[in-house]
Amino acid sequence: MLPIAEQRGVHLTTDPIDPEVRFVGDRRQLASGLGNLLENAVKYSERGDAVEVRAALASCCPKLLAIVHAETSTGVLQPLEEISGLTHDSGALFVVDAVTSLGGVDVRVDDWGIDAIYSGTQKCLSAPPGLSPVTFSPAALECIEKRKVKPQSWYLDVGMVRNYWEGAKRTYHHTAPISANYALHEALRIVLEEGLEARFERHRRNHERLRDGLEELGFRFVVEPEYRLPQLNTVWLPDWLKDGPGRARLLEEYNIEVGGGLGDFAGKVWRIGLMGNSSTPNHVDMLLAALRRMRDEA
Amino acid sequence: MLPIAEQRGVHLTTDPIDPEVRFVGDRRQLASGLGNLLENAVKYSERGDAVEVRAALASCCPKLLAIVHAETSTGVLQPLEEISGLTHDSGALFVVDAVTSLGGVDVRVDDWGIDAIYSGTQKCLSAPPGLSPVTFSPAALECIEKRKVKPQSWYLDVGMVRNYWEGAKRTYHHTAPISANYALHEALRIVLEEGLEARFERHRRNHERLRDGLEELGFRFVVEPEYRLPQLNTVWLPDWLKDGPGRARLLEEYNIEVGGGLGDFAGKVWRIGLMGNSSTPNHVDMLLAALRRMRDEA
């Protein structure tokens, strides 16, 4: 960026960055984001203006940091423990979306210092959709109890929901979806019957089976191996495959549904789920066989 | 109130009330509410002050009026058509809670000029709890489309929910509770198999069977006959029956659960539900037989 700035007569300076400040994220995405910011700053500055880059973190004093554990639009598994440490160092509460992680990969709520976490029943737990299991740390409960402004949403008035769940005097918040609770209970029994470790291992093995087959067919993974989700595989399409027609054909001819890309990824990647009871070698083989036939006919 | 006002030296006057202005509600409750207001006004006024009573309706220009159709804390069936007319005369939208009415008594959304109405699946439709059927009038949809302030609650962002349901381009709002939808679909088939008129008639007949038995046992209904809900019977307890012990015994010995009174009614009334599939002569007879035995043993 420096040569462009010089050419445009814009002074570009950086503050020496505190070695304590750390950035967590995809190196290329971070570089690209920072690059865009800088490019715009240089582009829209007048000759003689100054553009200054500084790293600020503690100064914004966030009250909470919220993050998705298993990020299904990209297929990234976030390193929660590391991020939790940085979050608590800055005094914020750590909130985690574990919708797609719970039951598919390890989720250590207390070990990882998670203050509030919610999941869904319809992903790796393989129960019907409709419920959201949640849990809160003592720090989060204290925050809920001490809040002075009434929550804007009855639905998310967590203090009232808590009283409904465990209040000394029974209070009413909503009519509990009884049948969904029974279904979740049975799904959790099935999870424990298999065993958590065995379940994670099954998700890992089937992901590897899928990965090997996909790479053989020319697909390339979007995410680096260490941050890759076993239950949601995001892959760049090979040249022989078109997004829309490919997915339509998979669904119509083979009764297999895969997700398309979102945002910048639209039309370029597929998101292939292997969650809970559908993470089996048979499901993997069915998809790979269909893709092989499609490739041979392309 | 006038003698008290005179004694305290407070001038109490009333504006002549426009004969067009009508009050809808329980005569005693309205009188009691108005009496409380007046009493406080007189009590906290200084000698020589004036208290003026006026009937205001159109002047407050409400944007919407919301009402519960089958009001389960009192057992009242609201005369919606009449209230709808008054509401629209004042230019407001008419919003109805039909949670306990749908499938038990007639609910005529368009005939009664209802702009927004919601129900539940777990009452007179006898499907599992967890869904809320809704419908909106063109005027309500226009209001939703034209709103400038973003809704505070994602959950109740009706415009987004609408796009999820019927948008030209598929948008995402939440994961639909598929199994609950199938269950509701089947419950609605059962309702139509019986026929709406037959279903209302069944609720009415079983209510009358219960009413006759209860009155014989010394219970008295809280609500006047013309505003009485067939699916939720609110009755004053007879002398021989104590609220808490009576309900506990019914539950423990006879496996029958009835609701207690709420607010001012706590300890004084029971709320007896006869909803959907549990509105049967057998259910009525079971309860009456248990109560007769309890009365004979009292």
Side-chain angles (χ1 to χ4, degrees):
Chain A
M1 193 58 57
L2 263 175
I4 303 173
E6 272 168 27
Q7 190 196 325
R8 292 187 49 90
V10 173
H11 304 288
L12 186 58
T13 57
T14 55
D15 251 19
I17 289 177
D18 186 338
E20 290 294 308
V21 176
R22 298 159 67 203
F23 297 93
V24 179
D26 181 274
R27 182 181 295 272
R28 282 164 303 183
Q29 294 287 331
L30 275 174
S32 146
L34 192 60
N36 283 342
L37 277 174
L38 269 179
E39 192 180 321
N40 282 329
V42 169
K43 199 191 288 178
Y44 295 107
S45 294
E46 300 293 322
R47 186 163 286 271
D49 281 357
V51 171
E52 200 178 324
V53 180
R54 249 190 286 181
L57 191 77
S59 63
C60 72
C61 285
K63 286 184 83 167
L64 64 82
L65 186 141
I67 197 165
V68 179
H69 187 201
E71 218 291 306
T72 51
S73 60
T74 53
V76 165
L77 181 68
Q78 298 282 7
L80 289 189
E81 196 163 13
E82 198 170 342
I83 302 172
S84 172
L86 294 170
T87 305
H88 289 128
D89 285 350
S90 79
L93 291 174
F94 190 47
V95 179
V96 172
D97 170 327
V99 170
T100 310
S101 54
L102 191 67
V105 295
D106 211 357
V107 180
R108 299 190 172 268
V109 179
D110 292 334
D111 291 351
W112 296 346
I114 298 172
D115 291 301
I117 184 166
Y118 55 89
S119 188
T121 50
Q122 76 279 14
K123 300 276 186 178
C124 295
L125 296 180
S126 293
L131 292 179
S132 175
V134 293
T135 180
F136 299 96
S137 74
L141 288 180
E142 200 191 322
C143 178
I144 291 164
E145 277 158 18
K146 283 191 176 165
R147 70 176 290 162
K148 282 168 196 151
V149 184
K150 219 175 133 69
Q152 290 180 337
S153 158
W154 166 276
Y155 186 70
L156 270 181
D157 188 334
V158 180
M160 286 186 72
V161 174
R162 184 196 184 184
N163 288 338
Y164 181 51
W165 175 252
E166 61 169 28
K169 186 171 181 297
R170 191 189 145 83
T171 51
Y172 174 77
H173 183 269
H174 60 275
T175 296
I178 309 293
S179 344
N181 279 315
Y182 281 119
L184 174 59
H185 188 250
E186 181 58 22
L188 293 173
R189 283 168 58 101
I190 293 171
V191 168
L192 293 179
E193 218 169 83
E194 178 174 11
L196 281 176
E197 288 304 329
R199 199 169 176 93
F200 302 154
E201 175 66 14
R202 170 165 63 80
H203 278 83
R204 199 183 55 72
R205 273 201 322 271
N206 292 319
H207 154 72
E208 286 169 0
R209 190 186 191 97
L210 177 70
R211 177 200 62 197
D212 293 347
L214 287 176
E215 290 185 341
E216 208 180 285
L217 284 160
F219 291 84
R220 289 289 164 261
F221 271 75
V222 170
V223 178
E224 295 301 306
E226 68 265 39
Y227 299 115
R228 217 172 262 175
L229 281 176
Q231 64 269 57
L232 196 287
N233 298 267
T234 313
V235 283
W236 300 107
L237 301 189
D239 294 335
W240 56 265
L241 187 61
K242 290 269 163 289
D243 174 39
R247 286 194 290 134
R249 194 168 159 202
L250 264 188
L251 186 57
E252 281 153 29
E253 282 180 37
Y254 299 95
N255 199 27
I256 298 173
E257 190 170 18
V258 302
L262 302 168
D264 285 349
F265 289 117
K268 299 175 191 163
V269 309
W270 277 3
R271 301 178 302 134
I272 303 169
L274 288 176
M275 300 180 191
N277 292 356
S278 70
S279 175
T280 70
N282 282 347
H283 281 85
V284 172
D285 293 347
M286 270 167 57
L287 173 63
L288 291 175
L291 288 173
R292 268 184 216 114
R293 179 171 300 208
M294 282 164 64
R295 192 238 355 229
D296 293 345
E297 289 168 14
Chain B
M1 194 56 58
L2 264 175
I4 305 172
E6 272 168 28
Q7 192 196 323
R8 293 187 49 89
V10 172
H11 305 286
L12 186 58
T13 57
T14 55
D15 250 17
I17 288 178
D18 185 339
E20 290 294 308
V21 175
R22 297 159 65 203
F23 298 92
V24 180
D26 181 273
R27 182 180 298 271
R28 283 164 303 187
Q29 295 286 332
L30 275 174
S32 146
L34 192 59
N36 284 341
L37 277 175
L38 269 179
E39 194 181 320
N40 282 328
V42 170
K43 201 191 285 176
Y44 296 107
S45 294
E46 299 293 323
R47 187 163 285 272
D49 281 356
V51 171
E52 200 178 327
V53 180
R54 250 190 285 181
L57 192 76
S59 65
C60 71
C61 287
K63 285 184 83 167
L64 64 81
L65 186 140
I67 197 164
V68 180
H69 187 201
E71 217 291 305
T72 51
S73 60
T74 53
V76 165
L77 181 67
Q78 297 281 7
L80 290 190
E81 196 162 13
E82 199 170 342
I83 302 171
S84 172
L86 293 170
T87 305
H88 288 129
D89 285 350
S90 79
L93 291 175
F94 190 47
V95 179
V96 172
D97 170 327
V99 170
T100 310
S101 54
L102 191 66
V105 294
D106 212 357
V107 181
R108 299 189 173 269
V109 179
D110 292 333
D111 291 351
W112 296 346
I114 298 171
D115 292 301
I117 185 165
Y118 55 89
S119 187
T121 50
Q122 76 279 15
K123 301 276 185 177
C124 294
L125 296 181
S126 293
L131 292 180
S132 175
V134 293
T135 180
F136 298 95
S137 73
L141 287 180
E142 199 190 321
C143 177
I144 291 165
E145 277 159 18
K146 282 191 176 165
R147 70 175 292 160
K148 282 168 197 150
V149 183
K150 219 174 133 70
Q152 289 179 337
S153 158
W154 166 276
Y155 186 70
L156 270 182
D157 188 334
V158 179
M160 285 186 72
V161 174
R162 185 196 184 184
N163 288 339
Y164 181 51
W165 176 252
E166 60 168 28
K169 187 171 181 296
R170 192 189 144 83
T171 51
Y172 173 78
H173 182 270
H174 59 276
T175 296
I178 308 293
S179 344
N181 280 314
Y182 280 119
L184 174 59
H185 188 250
E186 181 57 22
L188 292 174
R189 284 167 59 102
I190 293 171
V191 168
L192 293 178
E193 217 169 85
E194 178 174 11
L196 281 176
E197 288 305 328
R199 199 168 176 95
F200 302 154
E201 175 65 14
R202 169 165 65 79
H203 277 84
R204 199 183 54 73
R205 273 202 321 273
N206 292 319
H207 155 71
E208 286 169 359
R209 190 185 190 98
L210 177 69
R211 177 201 61 198
D212 294 347
L214 287 176
E215 290 186 341
E216 208 180 286
L217 284 160
F219 291 84
R220 289 290 164 261
F221 271 75
V222 170
V223 178
E224 296 301 306
E226 66 266 39
Y227 298 115
R228 217 172 263 173
L229 281 176
Q231 63 270 56
L232 197 286
N233 298 267
T234 314
V235 283
W236 300 107
L237 299 189
D239 293 336
W240 57 265
L241 187 61
K242 292 270 164 287
D243 174 40
R247 286 194 290 135
R249 193 168 160 202
L250 263 187
L251 187 57
E252 281 154 28
E253 281 180 38
Y254 299 95
N255 198 27
I256 298 174
E257 190 170 20
V258 301
L262 301 169
D264 286 349
F265 289 117
K268 298 175 191 163
V269 308
W270 277 3
R271 300 178 303 133
I272 303 169
L274 288 175
M275 299 180 192
N277 292 355
S278 70
S279 174
T280 70
N282 282 347
H283 281 84
V284 172
D285 293 347
M286 271 168 54
L287 173 64
L288 291 175
L291 287 173
R292 268 184 215 114
R293 178 170 300 207
M294 282 164 64
R295 193 240 351 234
D296 293 346
E297 288 169 15

